[in-house]
Coordinates of all heavy atoms in Angstrom, one line a residue:
R1 N 11.4 2.1 18.2 CA 11.9 2.9 17.1 C 12.5 4.2 17.6 O 13.5 4.6 17.0 CB 10.8 3.1 16.1 CG 11.4 3.7 14.9 CD 10.4 3.7 13.7 NE 11.0 4.0 12.5 CZ 11.1 5.2 12.0 NH1 10.8 6.2 12.6 NH2 11.8 5.3 10.8
R2 N 12.1 4.7 18.6 CA 12.5 6.0 19.2 C 13.9 6.0 19.8 O 14.6 6.9 19.9 CB 11.5 6.7 20.0 CG 11.3 5.9 21.3 CD 10.2 6.6 22.3 NE 10.0 5.7 23.4 CZ 10.8 5.6 24.4 NH1 12.0 6.3 24.5 NH2 10.5 4.8 25.5
V3 N 14.3 4.8 20.2 CA 15.6 4.6 20.8 C 16.7 4.0 19.9 O 17.9 3.9 20.4 CB 15.5 3.8 22.2 CG1 14.6 4.5 23.2 CG2 15.0 2.4 21.9
V4 N 16.4 3.8 18.7 CA 17.4 3.2 17.9 C 17.8 4.3 16.8 O 16.8 4.9 16.2 CB 16.8 2.0 17.1 CG1 17.8 1.5 16.0 CG2 16.4 0.8 18.1
R5 N 19.1 4.5 16.8 CA 19.4 5.6 15.7 C 19.3 5.2 14.3 O 19.2 4.0 14.2 CB 21.0 5.9 16.1 CG 21.9 4.8 15.6 CD 23.3 5.2 15.8 NE 23.7 4.9 17.2 CZ 24.7 5.0 17.9 NH1 25.9 5.4 17.1 NH2 25.0 4.9 19.2
P6 N 19.3 6.2 13.5 CA 19.1 5.7 12.1 C 20.0 4.9 11.5 O 21.3 4.9 11.8 CB 19.2 7.2 11.5 CG 18.7 8.2 12.4 CD 19.2 7.5 13.7
G7 N 19.7 3.8 10.8 CA 20.6 2.8 10.4 C 20.8 1.6 11.4 O 21.4 0.7 11.0
G8 N 20.3 1.9 12.6 CA 20.4 0.8 13.6 C 19.6 -0.4 13.4 O 18.6 -0.3 12.5
Q9 N 19.7 -1.4 14.1 CA 19.0 -2.6 13.9 C 18.1 -3.1 15.0 O 18.4 -2.8 16.1 CB 19.9 -3.8 13.7 CG 20.7 -3.8 12.4 CD 21.6 -4.9 12.2 OE1 21.9 -5.6 13.1 NE2 21.8 -5.3 10.9
L10 N 17.0 -3.7 14.6 CA 16.1 -4.4 15.7 C 16.2 -5.8 15.3 O 16.0 -6.2 14.2 CB 14.6 -3.9 15.4 CG 13.5 -4.7 16.3 CD1 13.7 -4.5 17.7 CD2 12.2 -4.4 15.7
R11 N 16.7 -6.6 16.2 CA 16.7 -8.1 16.0 C 15.6 -8.7 16.8 O 15.5 -8.3 18.0 CB 18.1 -8.6 16.5 CG 19.2 -8.0 15.6 CD 20.6 -8.3 16.1 NE 21.6 -7.8 15.2 CZ 22.3 -8.5 14.4 NH1 22.2 -9.9 14.3 NH2 23.2 -8.0 13.6
F12 N 14.8 -9.5 16.3 CA 13.7 -10.1 16.9 C 13.5 -11.5 16.8 O 13.8 -12.1 15.8 CB 12.5 -9.3 16.5 CG 12.2 -9.4 15.0 CD1 11.4 -10.3 14.5 CD2 12.8 -8.3 14.3 CE1 11.2 -10.3 13.1 CE2 12.5 -8.4 12.8 CZ 11.8 -9.4 12.3
L13 N 12.9 -12.2 17.8 CA 12.4 -13.4 17.9 C 11.0 -13.3 18.4 O 10.8 -13.0 19.5 CB 13.2 -14.5 18.7 CG 12.7 -15.9 18.9 CD1 12.5 -16.6 17.6 CD2 13.5 -16.6 19.8
E14 N 9.9 -13.4 17.6 CA 8.6 -13.2 18.1 C 7.5 -14.2 17.8 O 7.7 -14.8 16.7 CB 8.1 -11.9 17.4 CG 8.9 -10.7 18.0 CD 8.3 -10.3 19.4 OE1 7.0 -10.5 19.7 OE2 9.0 -9.8 20.1
H15 N 6.6 -14.3 18.6 CA 5.5 -15.2 18.2 C 4.7 -14.6 17.0 O 4.8 -13.4 16.8 CB 4.4 -15.1 19.3 CG 4.7 -15.8 20.7 ND1 4.9 -17.1 20.7 CD2 5.0 -15.2 21.8 CE1 5.2 -17.4 22.0 NE2 5.4 -16.3 22.6
V16 N 4.2 -15.5 16.2 CA 3.4 -15.1 15.0 C 2.0 -15.9 14.8 O 2.0 -16.9 15.6 CB 4.2 -15.2 13.7 CG1 5.2 -14.1 13.6 CG2 4.7 -16.6 13.5
R17 N 1.2 -15.5 14.0 CA 0.1 -16.1 13.9 C 0.2 -17.4 13.1 O 1.2 -17.4 12.3 CB -0.8 -15.1 12.9 CG -2.2 -15.5 12.6 CD -2.8 -14.5 11.6 NE -2.7 -13.2 12.1 CZ -3.3 -12.2 11.6 NH1 -3.8 -12.3 10.4 NH2 -3.2 -11.0 12.1
A18 N -0.4 -18.5 13.5 CA -0.3 -19.7 13.0 C -0.8 -19.8 11.5 O -1.7 -19.0 11.2 CB -1.0 -20.8 13.8
D19 N -0.3 -20.7 10.8 CA -0.6 -20.7 9.4 C -1.8 -21.9 9.1 O -2.3 -22.0 8.0 CB 0.5 -21.0 8.4 CG 1.3 -22.3 8.8 OD1 0.9 -22.9 9.9 OD2 2.3 -22.6 8.1
T20 N -2.2 -22.4 10.2 CA -3.5 -23.3 10.0 C -4.7 -22.9 10.8 O -4.4 -22.2 11.8 CB -3.1 -24.7 10.6 OG1 -2.8 -24.6 12.0 CG2 -1.8 -25.3 10.0
P21 N -5.8 -23.0 10.2 CA -7.0 -22.4 10.8 C -7.2 -22.9 12.2 O -7.6 -22.1 13.1 CB -8.1 -22.8 9.9 CG -7.4 -23.2 8.6 CD -6.1 -23.6 8.9
V22 N -7.1 -24.1 12.5 CA -7.4 -24.7 13.8 C -6.4 -24.1 14.9 O -6.8 -23.6 16.0 CB -7.2 -26.2 13.8 CG1 -7.3 -26.7 15.3 CG2 -8.3 -26.8 12.9
L23 N -5.0 -24.0 14.6 CA -4.1 -23.6 15.5 C -4.4 -22.1 15.7 O -4.2 -21.4 16.8 CB -2.7 -23.7 15.1 CG -1.6 -23.4 16.1 CD1 -1.8 -24.2 17.5 CD2 -0.3 -23.9 15.5
G24 N -4.7 -21.3 14.7 CA -5.1 -19.8 14.7 C -6.3 -19.6 15.6 O -6.3 -18.6 16.3
A25 N -7.2 -20.5 15.5 CA -8.4 -20.3 16.4 C -8.0 -20.6 17.9 O -8.6 -19.9 18.8 CB -9.5 -21.3 16.0
V26 N -7.2 -21.5 18.1 CA -6.6 -21.7 19.4 C -5.9 -20.5 20.0 O -6.0 -20.0 21.2 CB -5.9 -23.0 19.5 CG1 -5.2 -23.1 20.9 CG2 -6.7 -24.2 19.3
Q27 N -5.0 -20.0 19.1 CA -4.3 -18.7 19.4 C -5.2 -17.5 19.8 O -5.0 -16.9 20.9 CB -3.3 -18.4 18.4 CG -2.1 -19.2 18.3 CD -1.3 -18.8 17.1 OE1 -1.8 -18.4 16.0 NE2 0.0 -19.0 17.3
R28 N -6.2 -17.4 19.0 CA -7.1 -16.3 19.2 C -7.9 -16.4 20.5 O -8.1 -15.5 21.3 CB -8.1 -16.1 18.0 CG -7.6 -15.4 16.8 CD -8.5 -15.1 15.8 NE -9.5 -16.3 15.3 CZ -9.1 -17.1 14.5 NH1 -8.0 -17.0 13.9 NH2 -10.0 -18.1 14.2
T29 N -8.4 -17.6 20.8 CA -9.0 -17.9 22.0 C -8.1 -17.7 23.3 O -8.5 -17.1 24.3 CB -9.6 -19.4 22.1 OG1 -10.4 -19.6 21.0 CG2 -10.2 -19.8 23.4
L30 N -6.9 -18.2 23.2 CA -5.9 -18.0 24.3 C -5.6 -16.6 24.5 O -5.6 -16.0 25.6 CB -4.5 -18.8 24.0 CG -4.6 -20.2 24.2 CD1 -3.3 -20.9 23.9 CD2 -4.9 -20.6 25.7
D31 N -5.4 -15.8 23.4 CA -5.1 -14.3 23.4 C -6.3 -13.5 24.1 O -6.1 -12.6 24.8 CB -4.7 -13.8 22.1 CG -3.3 -14.1 21.7 OD1 -2.5 -14.7 22.5 OD2 -3.0 -13.7 20.5
A32 N -7.5 -14.0 23.9 CA -8.6 -13.3 24.4 C -9.0 -13.7 25.9 O -9.9 -13.1 26.5 CB -9.9 -13.6 23.5
T33 N -8.2 -14.6 26.4 CA -8.7 -15.2 27.7 C -7.4 -15.2 28.7 O -7.1 -14.2 29.2 CB -9.3 -16.6 27.6 OG1 -8.4 -17.4 26.9 CG2 -10.6 -16.4 26.9
L34 N -6.8 -16.3 28.7 CA -5.8 -16.6 29.8 C -4.4 -16.2 29.4 O -3.6 -15.7 30.3 CB -6.0 -18.0 30.0 CG -5.3 -18.7 31.2 CD1 -5.9 -17.9 32.5 CD2 -5.5 -20.2 31.3
W35 N -3.9 -16.4 28.2 CA -2.4 -16.2 27.9 C -1.9 -14.9 28.2 O -0.8 -14.8 28.9 CB -2.3 -16.6 26.4 CG -0.8 -16.7 26.1 CD1 0.0 -15.9 25.4 CD2 0.0 -17.9 26.5 NE1 1.3 -16.2 25.3 CE2 1.3 -17.4 26.0 CE3 0.0 -18.9 27.3 CZ2 2.4 -18.3 26.2 CZ3 1.0 -19.7 27.4 CH2 2.2 -19.5 27.0
P36 N -2.4 -13.8 27.8 CA -1.8 -12.5 28.3 C -1.5 -12.3 29.8 O -0.7 -11.7 30.1 CB -2.8 -11.4 27.8 CG -3.5 -12.1 26.6 CD -3.6 -13.6 26.9
V37 N -2.6 -12.9 30.6 CA -2.5 -12.8 32.0 C -1.2 -13.7 32.5 O -0.5 -13.2 33.3 CB -3.8 -13.1 32.7 CG1 -3.7 -13.2 34.3 CG2 -4.9 -12.2 32.3
L38 N -1.1 -14.8 32.0 CA -0.2 -15.7 32.4 C 1.3 -15.3 31.8 O 2.3 -15.8 32.5 CB -0.5 -17.2 32.0 CG -1.6 -17.8 32.7 CD1 -1.9 -19.2 32.0 CD2 -1.5 -17.9 34.2
A39 N 1.2 -14.7 30.7 CA 2.6 -14.6 30.1 C 3.0 -13.1 30.0 O 3.7 -12.6 29.0 CB 2.5 -15.1 28.6
G40 N 2.5 -12.3 30.9 CA 3.0 -10.8 31.0 C 2.5 -10.0 29.9 O 3.4 -9.2 29.4
G41 N 1.4 -10.2 29.3 CA 0.9 -9.4 28.2 C 1.2 -9.9 26.8 O 0.9 -9.3 25.8
C42 N 1.9 -11.0 26.7 CA 2.3 -11.7 25.5 C 1.0 -12.0 24.6 O 0.0 -12.5 25.2 CB 3.1 -12.9 25.7 SG 3.5 -13.8 24.2
H43 N 1.0 -12.0 23.3 CA 0.0 -12.4 22.4 C 0.6 -13.2 21.3 O 1.6 -12.9 20.8 CB -0.7 -11.2 21.7 CG -1.5 -10.4 22.8 ND1 -2.8 -10.7 23.0 CD2 -1.2 -9.3 23.5 CE1 -3.2 -9.8 24.1 NE2 -2.2 -9.0 24.3
T44 N 0.0 -14.4 21.1 CA 0.5 -15.2 20.1 C 0.1 -15.2 18.8 O 0.6 -15.7 17.8 CB 0.3 -16.8 20.7 OG1 -1.2 -17.0 20.6 CG2 0.8 -17.0 22.1
H45 N -1.1 -14.4 18.6 CA -1.7 -14.5 17.2 C -1.5 -13.1 16.6 O -2.6 -12.4 16.0 CB -3.2 -14.8 17.5 CG -4.0 -15.0 16.2 ND1 -4.8 -14.1 15.5 CD2 -4.0 -16.0 15.4 CE1 -5.3 -14.5 14.5 NE2 -4.8 -15.6 14.4
R46 N -0.4 -12.5 16.5 CA -0.2 -11.2 15.9 C 0.6 -11.5 14.5 O 1.4 -12.4 14.4 CB 0.7 -10.3 16.8 CG -0.2 -9.9 18.0 CD 0.4 -8.7 18.5 NE -0.4 -8.1 19.6 CZ 0.0 -7.6 20.8 NH1 1.2 -7.5 21.0 NH2 -0.9 -7.3 21.6
D47 N 0.2 -10.5 13.6 CA 1.1 -10.6 12.4 C 2.3 -9.7 12.5 O 2.4 -8.5 12.2 CB 0.1 -10.0 11.3 CG 0.7 -10.1 9.9 OD1 1.9 -10.4 9.8 OD2 0.0 -9.8 8.9
T48 N 3.3 -10.2 13.2 CA 4.4 -9.5 13.6 C 5.1 -8.8 12.5 O 5.5 -7.6 12.6 CB 5.4 -10.4 14.3 OG1 4.7 -11.0 15.4 CG2 6.6 -9.7 14.8
E49 N 5.3 -9.4 11.3 CA 5.9 -9.0 10.1 C 5.2 -7.7 9.7 O 5.9 -6.6 9.4 CB 6.1 -10.0 8.9 CG 6.8 -9.5 7.9 CD 6.9 -10.6 6.8 OE1 6.7 -11.8 7.1 OE2 7.2 -10.3 5.6
R50 N 4.0 -7.6 9.6 CA 3.2 -6.6 9.2 C 3.3 -5.3 10.2 O 3.4 -4.1 9.8 CB 1.7 -6.9 9.0 CG 0.9 -5.7 8.5 CD -0.7 -6.1 8.4 NE -1.2 -6.4 9.7 CZ -1.5 -5.4 10.7 NH1 -1.2 -4.3 10.5 NH2 -1.9 -5.8 11.9
L51 N 3.2 -5.7 11.4 CA 3.3 -4.7 12.5 C 4.7 -4.0 12.5 O 4.8 -2.7 12.6 CB 3.1 -5.3 13.8 CG 1.6 -5.8 14.1 CD1 1.5 -6.5 15.5 CD2 0.7 -4.6 14.0
I52 N 5.7 -4.7 12.2 CA 7.1 -4.1 12.1 C 7.2 -3.1 11.1 O 7.6 -2.0 11.1 CB 8.2 -5.2 12.2 CG1 8.3 -5.9 13.5 CG2 9.5 -4.6 11.8 CD1 9.1 -7.1 13.6
R53 N 6.8 -3.6 9.9 CA 6.7 -2.7 8.7 C 5.9 -1.5 8.8 O 6.2 -0.3 8.5 CB 6.2 -3.5 7.4 CG 7.3 -4.4 6.8 CD 6.9 -4.8 5.4 NE 7.9 -5.6 4.8 CZ 7.8 -6.9 4.5 NH1 6.7 -7.6 4.7 NH2 8.8 -7.5 4.0
A54 N 4.7 -1.6 9.5 CA 3.7 -0.5 9.6 C 4.3 0.6 10.5 O 3.9 1.7 10.5 CB 2.4 -1.1 10.2
T55 N 5.2 0.3 11.4 CA 5.8 1.2 12.2 C 7.2 1.9 11.7 O 7.9 2.6 12.4 CB 6.1 0.6 13.7 OG1 7.0 -0.5 13.5 CG2 4.8 0.3 14.4
G56 N 7.4 1.6 10.5 CA 8.5 2.3 9.7 C 9.8 1.6 9.6 O 10.8 2.3 9.2
W57 N 10.0 0.3 10.1 CA 11.2 -0.3 10.0 C 11.2 -1.0 8.5 O 10.2 -1.3 7.9 CB 11.2 -1.5 11.0 CG 11.2 -1.0 12.4 CD1 10.2 -0.7 13.2 CD2 12.4 -0.8 13.0 NE1 10.6 -0.4 14.5 CE2 12.1 -0.4 14.4 CE3 13.7 -0.9 12.9 CZ2 13.0 -0.1 15.3 CZ3 14.7 -0.6 13.8 CH2 14.2 -0.2 15.1
T58 N 12.4 -1.2 8.1 CA 12.7 -1.9 6.9 C 13.2 -3.4 7.3 O 14.2 -3.4 8.0 CB 13.8 -1.3 6.0 OG1 13.3 0.0 5.7 CG2 14.0 -2.0 4.7
L59 N 12.4 -4.4 6.8 CA 12.8 -5.8 7.0 C 14.0 -6.3 6.3 O 13.9 -6.1 5.0 CB 11.6 -6.7 6.9 CG 10.6 -6.8 8.1 CD1 9.4 -7.7 7.7 CD2 11.2 -7.2 9.3
E60 N 15.1 -6.6 6.9 CA 16.2 -7.2 6.2 C 16.1 -8.6 6.0 O 16.4 -9.2 5.1 CB 17.4 -6.9 7.0 CG 17.8 -5.4 7.2 CD 17.9 -4.6 5.8 OE1 18.5 -5.2 4.9 OE2 17.4 -3.5 5.9
S61 N 15.5 -9.3 7.0 CA 15.2 -10.7 7.1 C 14.1 -11.1 8.0 O 14.0 -10.3 9.0 CB 16.4 -11.5 7.3 OG 16.9 -11.3 8.8
C62 N 13.4 -12.1 7.7 CA 12.3 -12.5 8.5 C 12.0 -14.0 8.2 O 11.3 -14.3 7.2 CB 11.1 -11.6 8.3 SG 9.8 -11.9 9.5
D63 N 12.5 -14.8 9.1 CA 12.5 -16.3 8.8 C 11.6 -17.0 9.7 O 11.6 -16.8 11.0 CB 13.8 -16.9 8.8 CG 14.7 -16.3 7.8 OD1 14.3 -16.1 6.6 OD2 15.9 -16.0 8.2
P64 N 10.7 -17.8 9.2 CA 9.8 -18.7 10.2 C 10.6 -19.6 10.9 O 11.5 -20.4 10.3 CB 8.8 -19.3 9.3 CG 9.3 -19.3 8.0 CD 10.4 -18.2 7.8
V65 N 10.4 -19.8 12.2 CA 11.0 -20.8 13.0 C 9.9 -21.5 13.9 O 9.0 -20.7 14.3 CB 12.2 -20.4 13.9 CG1 13.3 -20.0 12.9 CG2 11.8 -19.3 14.8
R66 N 10.1 -22.6 14.3 CA 9.3 -23.2 15.3 C 10.0 -23.4 16.6 O 11.1 -24.0 16.7 CB 8.8 -24.6 14.8 CG 7.6 -25.2 15.7 CD 7.1 -26.4 15.1 NE 8.0 -27.4 15.1 CZ 7.7 -28.7 14.8 NH1 6.5 -29.0 14.3 NH2 8.7 -29.6 14.7
F67 N 9.6 -22.7 17.7 CA 10.3 -22.7 18.9 C 9.3 -23.1 20.1 O 8.4 -22.2 20.2 CB 10.9 -21.3 19.1 CG 11.7 -21.2 20.4 CD1 12.9 -21.7 20.4 CD2 11.2 -20.6 21.5 CE1 13.6 -21.6 21.6 CE2 12.0 -20.5 22.6 CZ 13.2 -21.0 22.7
P68 N 9.5 -24.0 20.9 CA 10.7 -24.9 20.8 C 10.5 -25.9 19.6 O 9.3 -26.2 19.2 CB 10.7 -25.7 22.1 CG 9.3 -25.6 22.6 CD 8.8 -24.3 22.1
D69 N 11.5 -26.4 19.2 CA 11.5 -27.3 17.9 C 11.1 -28.7 18.5 O 12.1 -29.5 18.7 CB 12.6 -27.2 17.0 CG 12.6 -28.0 15.8 OD1 11.5 -28.4 15.4 OD2 13.6 -28.3 15.2
V70 N 9.9 -29.1 18.7 CA 9.6 -30.3 19.2 C 8.6 -31.0 18.2 O 8.2 -30.4 17.3 CB 8.9 -30.2 20.6 CG1 9.8 -29.8 21.7 CG2 7.7 -29.3 20.5
R71 N 8.3 -32.2 18.5 CA 7.5 -33.1 17.5 C 6.2 -32.5 17.3 O 5.6 -32.6 16.2 CB 7.4 -34.4 18.1 CG 6.9 -35.5 17.1 CD 6.9 -36.8 17.7 NE 8.3 -37.3 17.8 CZ 8.7 -38.6 17.8 NH1 7.7 -39.5 17.7 NH2 10.0 -38.9 17.8
W72 N 5.3 -31.9 18.3 CA 4.1 -31.4 18.2 C 4.1 -29.9 18.1 O 5.1 -29.3 18.7 CB 3.1 -32.0 19.2 CG 3.7 -31.6 20.6 CD1 3.4 -30.5 21.3 CD2 4.7 -32.4 21.3 NE1 4.1 -30.5 22.5 CE2 4.9 -31.7 22.5 CE3 5.3 -33.6 21.3 CZ2 5.7 -32.2 23.6 CZ3 6.1 -34.0 22.2 CH2 6.3 -33.3 23.3
T73 N 3.2 -29.4 17.6 CA 3.0 -27.9 17.5 C 2.1 -27.4 18.6 O 1.0 -27.8 18.8 CB 2.5 -27.4 16.1 OG1 3.7 -27.9 15.1 CG2 2.5 -25.9 16.0
T74 N 2.6 -26.4 19.3 CA 1.7 -25.8 20.3 C 1.3 -24.4 19.8 O 1.9 -23.8 18.9 CB 2.4 -25.6 21.7 OG1 3.5 -24.7 21.5 CG2 3.1 -26.9 22.1
P75 N 0.3 -23.8 20.5 CA -0.1 -22.4 20.1 C 1.1 -21.4 20.2 O 1.0 -20.4 19.5 CB -1.2 -22.1 21.1 CG -1.8 -23.4 21.5 CD -0.6 -24.3 21.6
T76 N 2.1 -21.7 21.0 CA 3.0 -20.8 21.1 C 4.4 -21.2 20.3 O 5.4 -20.5 20.4 CB 3.5 -20.6 22.7 OG1 4.0 -21.9 23.1 CG2 2.5 -20.1 23.5
S77 N 4.3 -22.1 19.4 CA 5.4 -22.6 18.6 C 5.7 -21.7 17.4 O 6.9 -21.6 17.2 CB 5.3 -24.1 18.1 OG 5.1 -24.9 19.3
P78 N 4.8 -21.2 16.7 CA 5.1 -20.3 15.4 C 5.8 -19.1 15.9 O 5.3 -18.3 16.6 CB 3.8 -20.1 14.9 CG 2.9 -21.2 15.3 CD 3.4 -21.4 16.7
H79 N 7.1 -18.8 15.3 CA 7.8 -17.7 15.6 C 8.4 -17.2 14.3 O 8.5 -17.9 13.3 CB 8.9 -17.9 16.5 CG 8.6 -18.0 18.0 ND1 8.0 -19.2 18.5 CD2 8.9 -17.2 19.0 CE1 7.8 -19.1 19.7 NE2 8.3 -17.9 20.1
V80 N 8.9 -15.9 14.3 CA 9.7 -15.4 13.2 C 11.0 -15.0 13.8 O 11.0 -14.4 15.0 CB 9.1 -14.3 12.3 CG1 8.0 -14.9 11.5 CG2 8.6 -13.1 13.2
L81 N 12.1 -15.1 13.1 CA 13.5 -14.6 13.6 C 13.9 -13.6 12.6 O 14.0 -14.1 11.4 CB 14.4 -15.8 13.8 CG 15.9 -15.5 14.1 CD1 15.9 -14.8 15.5 CD2 16.7 -16.8 14.0
G82 N 14.3 -12.4 12.9 CA 14.7 -11.5 11.8 C 15.4 -10.3 12.3 O 15.7 -10.1 13.5
V83 N 15.7 -9.5 11.3 CA 16.4 -8.1 11.6 C 15.7 -7.2 10.7 O 15.2 -7.3 9.6 CB 17.8 -8.4 11.0 CG1 18.6 -7.0 11.3 CG2 18.5 -9.5 11.8
A84 N 15.4 -6.0 11.4 CA 14.9 -4.9 10.7 C 15.8 -3.6 11.0 O 16.4 -3.6 12.0 CB 13.4 -4.6 11.3
T85 N 15.8 -2.8 10.0 CA 16.7 -1.5 10.2 C 15.8 -0.3 10.2 O 14.7 -0.3 9.6 CB 17.6 -1.4 9.2 OG1 17.1 -1.4 7.8 CG2 18.7 -2.5 9.2
R86 N 16.3 0.7 10.8 CA 15.5 2.0 10.9 C 15.9 3.0 9.7 O 17.1 2.9 9.3 CB 15.8 2.6 12.2 CG 15.1 4.0 12.4 CD 15.2 4.5 13.9 NE 14.6 5.8 13.7 CZ 15.0 6.9 14.2 NH1 16.3 6.9 14.9 NH2 14.5 8.1 14.0

């Protein structure tokens, strides 16, 4: 937020918390153990939309996407694609 001028945009594609209890539990387990070490500090089980709003951004759009879009869902599949303004 500190490097974006007023009215500027943050465009994001981020992991989000899964909407199913089983996949959410797998994400929490991965985040507490191996995943952040293997993925450079990445966490898959965050409420990204809430965190962006909590830091003072205004969400213009925030759409759920599955990435990669394959037949089966993995713990890293749930994402949001969006734009927020300062």
Side-chain angles (χ1 to χ4, degrees):
R1 189 165 194 273
R2 66 180 172 76
V3 298
V4 177
R5 71 179 76 172
Q9 291 184 335
L10 168 70
R11 294 172 182 251
F12 56 92
L13 173 65
E14 286 288 327
H15 291 290
V16 292
R17 188 181 304 182
D19 56 357
T20 62
V22 173
L23 190 55
V26 172
Q27 286 178 322
R28 282 191 305 277
T29 301
L30 284 174
D31 282 357
T33 56
L34 196 57
W35 189 254
V37 175
L38 294 177
C42 177
H43 292 272
T44 61
H45 190 259
R46 291 202 171 141
D47 187 351
T48 303
E49 186 176 339
R50 183 187 60 78
L51 292 170
I52 290 172
R53 279 196 175 114
T55 56
W57 293 90
T58 302
L59 281 175
E60 301 297 324
S61 66
C62 190
D63 301 314
V65 294
R66 191 168 66 173
F67 182 78
D69 190 14
V70 293
R71 193 176 288 208
W72 57 89
T73 300
T74 68
T76 59
S77 293
H79 284 71
V80 288
L81 177 66
V83 177
T85 56
R86 179 167 174 232

